[in-house]
Structures are given as C-alpha cells and as structure tokens.
Amino acid sequence: KTEKSNNSASRPSGMVDRLRDEAVNAYREAVRLAKIQPLAAISTSSKHSAALAGLGGALRQRAASEADTIEAGLVLKEALDLDNDNEAAWTELCVLFLKGGELDAGQVCAVNVLRIQQLEEEEVRLAQEQRDNVSKGFGAA
C-alpha cells in the first residue's frame, strides 16, 4: 500500500517531467525542420529564431541538469543572433540569468524586452492612427 501511495504522490511530478521532456523534443524537431528548410520556405529567420527560443525556454524550464541550463543559454543566444527583436528569447534569457544570480546580465535582457514592447506598442499606435486617417478620408468623400 505504501508503494501505491508513494507512486500516486509522485505521479504529478513524473507527468510534469515527461511533458517537459516532450516539449524539449518537440522544439528540437521544430529547430531541426527550420534548419533544413530553405530560407524562402520559412519566410524569415525570425521563425527559426522563434523555434530556438521555444527550445531554450523548454530547456530552461526542464533544467534536469547543468547541461540543460548551458544548452538553454546557447540556444537562446543563437535565437537572438537570428532575430535581435525576439521578445520570447530575451525574456527566457532574462529568467535564466536571474535564476543563475547574474543580475546585471538579467537587467540587460529585461531592458531589451521593454525596448521591444515599446516598439510593438508604437507600431500598433501608428497603425491605428493610419486607419483613423483613412476612415476620416473616406468619410469626407
């Protein structure tokens, strides 16, 4: 009976570990597929960067070993080399640095996340302004 109790108590943790492993494997496959696609087929390097950011995040969350943490950092850096405006990669790298006690590096990442968010907000504002101007022009005609 105690074996069953111990197994049922560890099941949720085991399930989470298994799901994290599956996520890492799925992102590894996404990265592999992005690498073998011609650039024109995936439209931009930002899709490859997004796959790498997903893998880095999955590795960081799994963190089964120091090797996962190191690989997460390397994969996230590669994602940022492909697309420096990859908010997810900067966010994951920020968490990775902060968990490792590297506050200065984490702060640099956080500043980049804020920079990207401000750029996105400005793009949304400009698009809305443009739509408003177009609708005003149509209303006058």
Side-chain angles (χ1 to χ4, degrees), residues 27-76:
Y27 278 114
R28 282 192 198 288
E29 180 64 7
V31 169
R32 185 189 71 75
L33 291 173
K35 281 183 179 177
I36 63 172
Q37 292 293 319
L39 191 55
I42 58 173
S43 75
T44 66
S45 60
S46 62
K47 288 185 180 180
H48 186 193
S49 178
L52 288 166
L55 174 58
L59 286 164
R60 181 196 57 76
Q61 290 175 26
R62 180 175 76 176
S65 66
E66 188 177 344
D68 275 353
T69 302
I70 291 167
E71 185 180 2
L74 293 172
V75 165
L76 291 167

Side-chain angles (χ1 to χ4, degrees), residues 10 20 33 35-36 39 58 64 67-68 70 79 83-84 86 90 92 97 101 107 112 118-119 129 131 136:
S10 67
R20 286 181 175 153
L33 291 173
K35 281 183 179 177
I36 63 172
L39 191 55
D68 275 353
I70 291 167
D83 179 6
N84 196 49
N86 185 330
W90 280 116
E92 289 294 342
F97 281 137
Q107 185 176 18
N112 276 290
Q118 288 172 344
L119 287 173
E129 199 174 277
R131 280 192 298 273
K136 287 178 188 174

